[in-house]
Amino acid sequence: LEAHRENGKSLEDDADLKFLLEGGALQKVRSNSWQKSRFYKLLEDCMTMWQESHKAFKGDQTFSIEDIESVRQGRQSEGLQKFTDPDMEERCFSIIFKGHRKNLDLMAKSPEEASKWVAGLGKVLSYVSKLNRQQNSEHWILSCMRKADKNKDNKMTLKELKHFMRQINIEVDDAYAELLFRRCDTSNSGTLEGDEIKIFYQMLTSREEIDVIYGKFSKNAREMSAGDLLNFLKTEQIEHATLEDALNLIEKYEPDEIAKSNKHMTKDGFLMYLQQEDGLILNPAYKKIYQDMTQPLNHYFINSSHNTYLMEDQLKGPSSTEAYVRALMKNCRCVELDCWDGANGEPVVYHGYTLTSKILFKDVIKAIKEYAFKVSEYPVILSLENHCTVDQQKIMANHLTKILGSALLVHPLGDQMPTALPSPEDLKGRVLIKGKRLNKLDAVFNNNNTIDEESVSEEDEAAECGDNNQQNQQKKTKIKLAKELSDLVIYCKSVHFSSFENSRTKQAFYEMASFKETKAFHLAENSGAECIHHNMEKLSRIYPAGSRTDSSNYNPVPMWNVGSQIVALNFQTPCKEMDLNQAMFLPNGQCGYILKPQFLRDPSSGFNPFKLTKGPWYKKKTLHLMVISAQQLPKINKNKESSIVDPLVKVDIFGVSEDCASKKTHHIENNGFNPMWNVSFEFTVRVPELAFVRFVVDDYDKGSQNDRIGQYTIPFTSMQNGYRHVPLLTKRGDLIPSTGLFVHIMVVDA
């Protein structure tokens, strides 16, 4: 509890948190059969929720606060909306978990109790998010110590020490364990307690590599002066730092008040600096919005999702509004809706001609209205795949205008016909519709209600959902289009692509085509320069082939290399391709928009990623990278105490084909707590503005495929030089607390 203090008060002084610690009964809502009330409470570590189980064969269950993504008050989840009455709104709340775990929908006895649960959990989540890496680490180690202390006497026997070492992912032989134990058992009592456990903890968490670096730059072995720190920042971190910068770091990270008053940094403060924002591999300057956001929309890469409604595969998996919430909360700015006629005159969203479940179109729009701008204020594009009859299209238009209100863009900006797309800055807080339109955009300004055709051709993508279905074998079919829905399409009018020449001479700036991945890759590889120039003028959307029924993804990098803006991926599938997508939109405040490099925007550019030549894009760099160590890697098999990881690190470069490379370290046997490699790699990167660096930590297995421990992917140009901490993410892109790699990076002109 002492780790969390706010305004001089500890957690137990807070009424909401005290309520959580005491706990209470909640009803779990799942399908239309409610379960009996269960008792829930926050355990004393303030990091674990406990829930009783009514099943005889299943013990009481717990889940970590760190597994919670958010807490939503009211009937905001699909389950609560479906299985509870509106008058129960104030008694309901949902715990949303990270990753693929199902929501926990709960109902309290009263609105007052529900508010206390939501407020208390919100405060704990806030406290946990503010923990620095060292506090997280300390908590994890102490938690493992508690588990190892079988008889709860606050002492540690040799047997319990061995159990603890396995808990933290280290396998040691009996002789070493006994030696370690004897060194710490200064009282010769046969147990470790009090200061002896503190000695053991200090021995365990000592980092030899940090000692070496600190000793090299600290003229005084005990403390580093501000001048010493400035020397380190300039020499090793290659930063344009001043003495004031060094003093600011001491003020920010030094835990010892006496050292801080002397303007010195201890080894603990130095370690704290290396593990926090200023010591991360990601340049902190790129964590905020730093790019020019006033250029036309087609000059940006846009974070985009394919078949957003799906939670799993493309054939029989569930559709859910939660999938839209998760995509939007991951800064996705273009989501897709496959719209079909539904019962009772209400259009539905699902993957047509499959067994995927259906959700109401209006519920999807409500979810988008609620979450569109929670993490980014820049525009959201709704890509409509319209299969509805005219009557239900009118219903769609009504839902869009009524639910989205003023956020929906229904008229071009300005009072005269534009000649180019507006910018993300111009469109802040607005929702754009991508779809078919019956007439040209200038009809809005000349009061011309004449329509070109009452029916329009479905583009290639419309047929894509039925690649294996006879009903959809014909690529170009006609659908009737309601004027009410057509009029909502302003800057993203869907058109069929026939050739680059046709697009250049006959299509307006607001008209855009969608390309199946196979066609897009063929065009890029065979007409790379034309692709790039097409994408300088028009928006393009790329989507996965219909044959990817397992919701797998294509490599987005070659599509970005030719300037494609809307490179849509299956967000529900954890994979290397989604790691790259997360990396692409990691900088610039994670706002979902990344300004394309100048050579992908300049009409005079001669860049072609498939026929690389010298030019402004060719900035050859050499990356010198040393993989030094890792700290507190998670166990793969948490249920098997004897299962210890054998970690290795693989480093991949993605970008233009000439830059792609991969290298890996040897594996370290039986040590996931503090493995050390000290292995150096060298990579040559010719087009750094299109390159990504991916760190992968695997558990080596001689007889089968390695298991993934964690990964981190970052744009090449977003890395900082010097000694850096590399955080690790789960396969679904969530941060793994308390763990990471320690590396040394040096990028130089080749």
Side-chain angles (χ1 to χ4, degrees):
L1 294 177
E2 290 179 2
H4 310 269
R5 293 191 176 275
E6 186 178 46
N7 299 325
K9 292 184 178 181
S10 59
L11 291 187
E12 63 264 40
D13 294 327
D14 187 294
D16 293 324
L17 295 167
K18 191 174 182 181
F19 174 80
L20 288 192
L21 291 164
E22 292 172 351
L26 293 166
Q27 269 187 304
K28 187 176 179 181
V29 181
R30 181 182 289 172
S31 74
N32 48 11
S33 60
W34 293 5
Q35 298 186 5
K36 293 180 182 178
S37 291
R38 297 184 182 192
F39 195 84
Y40 291 78
K41 72 173 181 177
L42 181 68
L43 296 184
E44 288 183 3
D45 66 355
C46 289
M47 295 284 274
T48 310
M49 284 294 295
W50 175 89
Q51 59 182 0
E52 67 175 328
S53 174
H54 294 304
K55 296 180 180 178
F57 60 88
K58 208 169 186 180
D60 294 336
Q61 298 169 305
T62 62
F63 57 86
S64 172
I65 293 294
E66 291 176 330
D67 293 337
I68 299 175
E69 186 171 275
S70 62
V71 181
R72 300 181 197 157
Q73 188 157 18
R75 298 166 60 249
Q76 291 198 47
S77 73
E78 277 185 304
L80 288 172
Q81 288 174 9
K82 190 180 291 186
F83 303 121
T84 62
D85 296 328
D87 59 3
M88 298 173 176
E89 177 80 29
E90 294 182 350
R91 292 170 54 197
C92 296
F93 67 96
S94 298
I95 295 176
I96 312 301
F97 292 101
K98 296 173 183 175
H100 222 226
R101 185 172 174 176
K102 289 183 179 178
N103 302 344
L104 182 57
D105 292 330
L106 299 165
M107 183 181 291
K109 292 178 181 177
S110 67
E112 293 75 24
E113 282 199 10
S115 294
K116 286 182 179 179
W117 280 105
V118 172
L121 286 169
K123 285 180 181 177
V124 174
L125 286 172
S126 176
Y127 282 126
V128 170
S129 69
K130 291 173 184 174
L131 282 176
N132 61 46
R133 189 182 177 278
Q134 188 161 334
Q135 288 169 328
N136 258 316
S137 171
E138 288 170 357
H139 174 270
W140 177 71
I141 292 172
L142 291 171
S143 176
C144 290
M145 281 184 173
R146 288 192 195 97
K147 290 178 184 176
D149 184 13
K150 295 293 188 183
N151 59 2
K152 309 300 179 190
D153 63 354
N154 292 323
K155 299 177 183 178
M156 187 177 285
T157 64
L158 176 58
K159 184 178 179 181
E160 287 173 336
L161 181 139
K162 292 178 184 176
H163 176 66
F164 167 72
M165 298 292 273
R166 285 191 289 270
Q167 285 269 336
I168 63 169
N169 221 349
I170 308 178
E171 185 66 61
V172 296
D173 60 39
D174 289 346
Y176 180 74
E178 289 176 19
L179 176 64
L180 199 61
F181 189 84
R182 284 200 303 271
R183 282 182 183 173
C184 299
D185 184 17
T186 55
S187 64
N188 296 318
S189 63
T191 61
L192 304 184
E193 54 185 299
D195 287 343
E196 293 172 336
I197 291 180
K198 187 176 180 181
I199 293 169
F200 172 63
Y201 175 83
Q202 289 170 342
M203 288 176 60
L204 194 67
T205 56
S206 173
R207 288 182 55 183
E208 179 186 342
E209 69 275 33
I210 303 299
D211 293 346
V212 171
I213 301 166
Y214 188 81
K216 178 181 176 182
F217 285 90
S218 174
K219 293 175 183 175
N220 176 341
R222 290 185 64 254
E223 293 181 359
M224 182 183 279
S225 70
D228 294 340
L229 180 57
L230 178 60
N231 184 29
F232 170 76
L233 294 175
K234 287 183 171 182
T235 307
E236 287 294 347
Q237 308 298 74
I238 319 299
E239 295 181 15
H240 301 294
T242 64
L243 186 60
E244 184 180 357
D245 294 325
L247 290 169
N248 286 339
L249 290 177
I250 291 172
E251 182 64 31
K252 190 174 182 180
Y253 297 116
E254 178 51 54
D256 186 298
E257 291 299 328
I258 296 175
K260 187 188 290 187
S261 66
N262 292 328
K263 298 180 172 51
H264 284 185
M265 182 176 268
T266 62
K267 196 184 298 179
D268 286 341
F270 186 65
L271 178 58
M272 188 84 75
Y273 149 70
L274 287 172
Q275 293 176 338
Q276 300 307 310
E277 181 182 66
D278 293 288
L280 293 183
I281 188 171
L282 175 64
N283 190 327
Y286 294 171
K287 292 186 72 174
K288 60 186 179 182
I289 294 172
Y290 68 95
Q291 293 183 329
D292 177 7
M293 302 301 288
T294 64
Q295 301 206 25
L297 211 58
N298 47 300
H299 284 185
Y300 296 84
F301 296 121
I302 304 172
N303 197 358
S304 307
S305 162
H306 170 65
N307 286 357
T308 314
Y309 47 88
L310 291 177
M311 298 288 282
E312 295 173 10
D313 65 77
Q314 309 276 317
L315 296 178
K316 58 186 185 332
S319 304
S320 173
T321 57
E322 183 62 33
Y324 286 92
V325 174
R326 293 187 180 192
L328 291 168
M329 293 302 284
K330 287 184 178 290
N331 55 70
C332 179
R333 298 289 88 189
C334 179
V335 296
E336 185 180 21
L337 295 81
D338 277 6
C339 308
W340 300 79
D341 280 1
N344 304 316
E346 283 292 346
V348 295
V349 173
Y350 87 112
H351 202 201
Y353 306 112
T354 69
L355 299 176
T356 57
S357 62
K358 301 173 183 178
I359 49 178
L360 291 177
F361 176 82
K362 65 179 179 182
D363 287 345
V364 172
I365 303 306
K366 287 176 183 176
I368 291 170
K369 164 73 171 175
E370 180 72 22
Y371 289 93
F373 304 108
K374 282 192 180 292
V375 296
S376 171
E377 56 187 345
Y378 290 104
V380 170
I381 301 169
L382 308 189
S383 181
L384 299 186
E385 191 58 60
N386 176 17
H387 305 275
C388 293
T389 56
V390 170
D391 285 343
Q392 293 215 6
Q393 288 178 42
K394 291 178 181 178
I395 299 295
M396 287 169 59
N398 183 59
H399 287 325
L400 286 166
T401 52
K402 290 286 178 62
I403 296 170
L404 295 176
S406 60
L408 180 66
L409 190 76
V410 296
H411 191 281
L413 302 180
D415 54 8
Q416 57 185 5
M417 181 63 191
T419 57
L421 291 172
S423 70
E425 190 69 27
D426 294 329
L427 294 167
K428 271 184 177 178
R430 308 305 293 270
V431 177
L432 282 63
I433 304 300
K434 171 192 168 293
K436 293 290 185 179
R437 184 180 170 92
L438 290 168
N439 54 12
K440 298 186 185 306
L441 189 60
D442 53 10
V444 175
F445 293 94
N446 57 27
N447 295 318
N448 181 3
N449 289 320
T450 304
I451 58 176
D452 296 338
E453 268 189 291
E454 288 189 2
S455 59
V456 294
S457 294
E458 288 193 84
E459 58 191 301
D460 291 353
E461 184 181 353
E464 180 60 25
C465 63
D467 263 4
N468 302 313
N469 191 294
Q470 289 183 350
Q471 297 182 56
N472 267 340
Q473 286 302 304
Q474 187 179 355
K475 285 291 181 184
K476 288 184 71 174
T477 58
K478 293 280 187 178
I479 61 166
K480 288 278 188 179
L481 189 57
K483 184 177 184 300
E484 292 85 346
L485 187 60
S486 165
D487 287 349
L488 299 182
V489 176
I490 306 299
Y491 291 123
C492 300
K493 178 183 176 181
S494 298
V495 296
H496 176 74
F497 176 84
S498 58
S499 69
F500 290 121
E501 173 66 21
N502 181 72
S503 297
R504 185 167 55 253
T505 58
K506 296 184 179 179
Q507 289 179 1
F509 69 90
Y510 56 85
E511 294 179 319
M512 61 174 291
S514 291
F515 302 85
K516 182 168 65 174
E517 64 171 279
T518 48
K519 183 172 185 177
F521 275 79
H522 176 79
L523 289 170
E525 290 168 8
N526 293 281
S527 309
E530 284 186 286
C531 257
I532 289 170
H533 284 270
H534 173 84
N535 290 325
M536 288 178 185
E537 300 171 356
K538 312 279 196 312
L539 287 170
S540 293
R541 181 177 184 269
I542 318 298
Y543 60 94
S547 56
R548 294 184 181 274
T549 55
D550 59 351
S551 294
S552 59
N553 281 308
Y554 57 91
N555 181 3
V557 176
M559 296 296 96
W560 291 326
N561 289 350
V562 292
S564 302
Q565 302 89 348
I566 303 177
V567 180
L569 299 177
N570 289 304
F571 267 49
Q572 71 272 32
T573 306
C575 55
K576 173 179 64 181
E577 293 78 17
M578 275 304 298
D579 295 342
L580 288 163
N581 191 76
Q582 187 171 7
M584 166 60 89
F585 297 99
L586 177 65
N588 204 33
Q590 297 188 46
C591 72
Y593 285 82
I594 294 290
L595 184 65
K596 294 196 284 187
Q598 179 66 28
F599 55 82
L600 291 178
R601 295 181 277 126
D602 182 0
S604 66
S605 172
F607 176 70
N608 185 340
F610 297 96
K611 297 176 182 177
L612 200 59
T613 57
K614 297 288 179 70
W617 51 85
Y618 197 92
K619 303 171 183 176
K620 195 172 181 181
K621 306 285 184 183
T622 300
L623 166 61
H624 299 280
L625 171 65
M626 175 181 265
V627 178
I628 301 171
S629 62
Q631 295 76 47
Q632 298 167 30
L633 299 174
K635 294 176 71 122
I636 298 298
N637 189 348
K638 293 182 180 179
N639 297 323
K640 191 175 180 183
E641 184 185 301
S642 60
S643 174
I644 310 295
V645 301
D646 305 321
L648 64 82
V649 180
K650 187 169 71 154
V651 182
D652 300 317
I653 306 290
F654 295 88
V656 299
S657 56
E658 290 183 40
D659 287 345
C660 294
S662 181
K663 297 182 180 182
K664 65 181 179 181
T665 69
H666 57 282
H667 70 276
I668 306 287
E669 289 193 4
N670 292 328
N671 186 352
F673 184 75
N674 53 4
M676 192 174 294
W677 292 275
N678 288 322
V679 173
S680 295
F681 299 132
E682 187 176 296
F683 298 93
T684 300
V685 176
R686 296 157 188 82
V687 188
E689 289 175 273
L690 293 177
F692 298 86
V693 182
R694 185 169 185 250
F695 298 87
V696 177
V697 184
D698 279 345
D699 179 16
Y700 173 75
D701 194 319
K702 185 177 181 180
S704 62
Q705 187 176 0
N706 295 343
D707 291 315
R708 178 63 35 82
I709 295 173
Q711 68 81 31
Y712 187 78
T713 312
I714 184 171
F716 185 91
T717 53
S718 297
M719 294 192 302
Q720 295 197 92
N721 280 316
Y723 289 102
R724 299 297 172 185
H725 175 75
V726 182
L728 292 178
L729 308 179
T730 66
K731 63 181 181 179
R732 293 197 173 275
D734 298 315
L735 181 69
I736 305 174
S738 311
T739 191
L741 292 173
F742 187 56
V743 301
H744 185 267
I745 292 168
M746 188 60 62
V747 177
V748 297
D749 292 332

